[in-house]
Amino acid sequence: MLTVSFKPRQSKHVPKDRRHSLYCTVSIDAIPAVPFSTKIRVNLELWKNLHELVALDDRIAKEVLRQTLDIEADLRQVFNDLRRTNSVVTADDVAREYTGRTPTFLKLFDQMVEYRVKTFKITKGTVETWETRRKNAAEFIRDVLHKEDIRVDYIRSTLEDDLIMYFNTKGFKKIHVSRQVSAWKSVMSFAVKKRHLKYNPLEYADVTIPPPGMPKFLTVPQLEKLSKLSLPFEMRIVADIFLFQCYTGMSIVDVYNFNPEEHIFRELDGTEWILIVRKKIERWATKPCKIPILPETRRILEKYRSKLPVLSRWTLNDNLKVIGAMIGYIGLSTKVGRSTAGTFLINHGVRLEVVAEVLGHANVRTTQRIYAPILVETVKSQTLHLMA
C-alpha cells in the first residue's frame, strides 16, 4: 500500500516565523523512501492549521493544499506505471522516478571522471583511459541493450556476465575485460556515494587482474649485438635511445623529461646517479628513482653530449620493429626497454628492493609480481651448481 506524507523541514538557520521547505515522504507497506523536497515553502503556523485555514477560505493555505494533492496524485500515477513493468516496486523507485534524480549510466560516468579530476587531480593520460572505457561502455549499451543510455537503478548484477561475453566477443584480452567491468563497478559505486542507489549491484563482480606473464626483454647477447649494429643515422639514434632505456629503466616519457643538468648528481666519491621522479607517479611520489649510471649509459650520454635527441613515440616504435628483426626479436617497442632493465638487474644479482627503487615502484611487491617468472629462473640458474 502506498502512502504519501508531507512535513516542513525546519532549518536552524531560519527563524520559526519564516517559511520552511516542505518535504515529501513516500512509503510502501510502511517502508519509507528518502524524503525529497517539494520546492514548496510554508510557514510553520500555516502548516499546523492548514485545514482550518482552508475552511476559512485562506488563499495561501488553499494553494499549498492544492500543490500537495497534485504531488500525491502524480506519485500514485508513477506507482501504477511502475507496477505495470516491474514485479517489485519500492518506495525509493517511486520517489526517484517522480523527482527524476536517478541519472543515466553515461551521464554519471562523466560526473565521476569530473569528480576524480577535481578531487584527485588525475593526469591527462588517466582521463584519456577513462574516456576510452566510457566509449566502450556506450558501445555495449547500444549493441547489447539497444539503448542510447540506461538508468543506473535498472542495472542488475547479471549485467556482469553480459559485459564479459560482449568484450570477449570483441576480442579484448582478459586483463582489458577485467578493466572494463571494473569501470562499470566504479561508476555504480559512485552512484551509491551520491545516494542515487542504496547498494552497488556490481559490488561482487570479479575484476581480478590476471597475473602478468613472462616480462618481454632483451638478453645480454641481444643488447651487445644492438650496441654494435651498423645502422642508418636515424635508426642509430632510435637504437641508442632504446639502449638508454634498457640500462636505466626509464619509460619513454621519463626519457623525454630527462635533463642532465637537473637529474644527474655526483656524490663525494665521484659516483654519479640519475635522480628523477617518474612522470606516472609524480603526484604521490615521496622520493625520486635512484638510477646508477652504468658504463653503457655513460657511453650514450657522452655520444650525445648528455642531451638525447627527441623523436616521437611513433617514430621510435616503427624503427624498433625493424631493428628488432635484425637482432632476432619480433615486436620490439619502447615498453620492452623498461622491462629489460629490470630483468638485467635481477639477472646480475641485484636485490629486489634495489630494483624497485631504480624502477620507481612504490612497493617492492609490484616488482615481485612483475618479475616473478624471472626470479624463478634466476634462482634456478644460480643454485644449479649446488644440486650437482
Side-chain angles (χ1 to χ4, degrees):
M1 179 180 176
L2 180 136
T3 58
V4 180
S5 60
F6 298 91
K7 184 179 181 181
R9 179 171 291 183
Q10 184 178 345
S11 171
K12 61 182 180 181
H13 303 295
V14 181
K16 288 186 177 181
D17 59 343
R18 299 290 180 86
R19 293 190 302 165
H20 298 259
S21 296
L22 186 66
Y23 276 72
C24 175
T25 301
V26 181
S27 300
I28 294 179
D29 296 332
I31 301 175
V34 177
F36 62 87
S37 173
T38 63
K39 309 298 182 186
I40 302 171
R41 297 183 69 80
V42 297
N43 181 283
L44 294 179
E45 195 63 31
L46 180 144
W47 181 255
K48 184 178 179 181
N49 303 294
L50 181 66
H51 292 284
E52 290 86 342
L53 290 169
V54 169
L56 294 172
D57 207 27
D58 184 282
R59 182 180 60 80
I60 297 176
K62 288 174 69 176
E63 178 61 21
V64 170
L65 180 62
R66 183 192 65 78
Q67 289 177 308
T68 56
L69 290 174
D70 286 347
I71 291 171
E72 182 173 353
D74 289 342
L75 285 166
R76 292 190 182 280
Q77 182 62 49
V78 168
F79 173 64
N80 291 330
D81 291 342
L82 287 173
R83 281 204 305 181
R84 279 193 283 270
T85 56
N86 297 276
S87 57
V88 178
V89 178
T90 66
D92 279 317
D93 292 335
V94 175
R96 280 196 294 263
E97 183 71 22
Y98 174 78
T99 59
R101 289 184 303 181
T102 304
T104 56
F105 181 83
L106 296 178
K107 182 179 178 181
L108 200 63
F109 202 125
D110 294 334
Q111 291 176 12
M112 183 193 72
V113 174
E114 184 180 349
Y115 171 79
R116 292 189 175 207
V117 169
K118 290 180 179 178
T119 308
F120 305 115
K121 295 181 172 57
I122 58 177
T123 63
K124 182 181 177 182
T126 304
V127 171
E128 289 173 353
T129 299
W130 280 110
E131 287 174 349
T132 300
R133 291 176 188 171
R134 185 198 184 280
K135 174 176 169 288
N136 292 330
E139 290 176 357
F140 169 82
I141 293 171
R142 186 186 66 243
D143 296 345
V144 177
L145 306 179
H146 308 295
K147 298 177 182 291
E148 291 301 314
D149 206 345
I150 180 174
R151 280 177 37 170
V152 291
D153 57 330
Y154 288 172
I155 294 174
R156 300 291 181 260
S157 59
T158 53
L159 192 75
E160 179 190 356
D161 295 333
D162 296 331
L163 287 166
I164 293 172
M165 184 179 296
Y166 175 76
F167 290 115
N168 279 332
T169 304
K170 295 272 284 186
F172 281 51
K173 293 181 179 178
K174 188 174 181 180
I175 186 171
H176 297 304
V177 173
S178 294
R179 285 171 178 167
Q180 292 300 326
V181 177
S182 179
W184 279 74
K185 183 176 179 179
S186 297
V187 175
M188 299 306 286
S189 293
F190 186 72
V192 174
K193 179 183 177 70
K194 292 298 180 181
R195 298 188 67 186
H196 298 303
L197 298 174
K198 283 189 173 181
Y199 68 95
N200 182 353
L202 299 176
E203 179 66 31
Y204 300 105
D206 183 11
V207 294
T208 306
I209 302 296
M214 176 72 79
K216 296 179 179 179
F217 63 94
L218 264 60
T219 61
V220 172
Q222 286 175 323
L223 286 170
E224 292 174 351
K225 186 176 181 180
L226 181 56
S227 296
K228 299 172 183 177
L229 201 62
S230 178
L231 295 167
F233 180 72
E234 185 179 65
M235 292 184 77
R236 184 67 259 170
I237 293 174
V238 170
D240 287 340
I241 292 173
F242 178 76
L243 284 168
F244 186 79
Q245 284 188 272
C246 293
Y247 290 108
T248 62
M250 292 164 66
S251 70
I252 194 61
V253 174
D254 296 328
V255 172
Y256 289 151
N257 293 330
F258 173 66
N259 184 340
E261 294 180 1
E262 293 181 18
H263 299 127
I264 292 182
F265 291 83
R266 182 191 293 268
E267 294 186 346
L268 293 176
D269 61 359
T271 307
E272 288 186 326
W273 301 84
I274 295 174
L275 299 183
I276 186 170
V277 177
R278 288 188 64 203
K279 181 70 176 176
K280 186 176 181 179
I281 61 170
E282 64 181 353
R283 288 182 295 111
W284 62 79
T286 56
K287 60 180 181 179
C289 306
K290 189 173 183 180
I291 304 169
I293 298 181
L294 303 178
E296 188 64 20
T297 309
R298 187 178 302 282
R299 181 190 70 77
I300 295 169
L301 287 172
E302 290 175 353
K303 179 178 179 178
Y304 295 99
R305 297 180 181 178
S306 295
K307 189 64 177 176
L308 293 174
V310 177
L311 299 175
S312 73
R313 192 175 302 188
W314 293 274
T315 300
L316 291 170
N317 285 327
D318 285 347
N319 280 282
L320 283 173
K321 288 176 184 176
V322 179
I323 295 170
M326 295 179 182
I327 60 172
Y329 189 104
I330 305 301
L332 193 62
S333 70
T334 54
K335 286 189 175 182
V336 179
R338 182 168 163 78
S339 55
T340 295
T343 308
F344 180 83
L345 293 172
I346 290 172
N347 285 339
H348 282 78
V350 178
R351 291 200 338 267
L352 210 58
E353 294 84 353
V354 178
V355 176
E357 187 168 352
V358 171
L359 296 178
H361 290 159
N363 194 310
V364 71
R365 287 196 297 271
T366 303
T367 317
Q368 190 171 17
R369 177 175 59 83
I370 295 172
Y371 294 100
I374 300 296
L375 286 168
V376 171
E377 292 301 316
T378 302
V379 169
K380 181 179 177 182
S381 63
Q382 292 187 3
T383 58
L384 203 58
H385 67 286
L386 300 175
M387 302 176 192

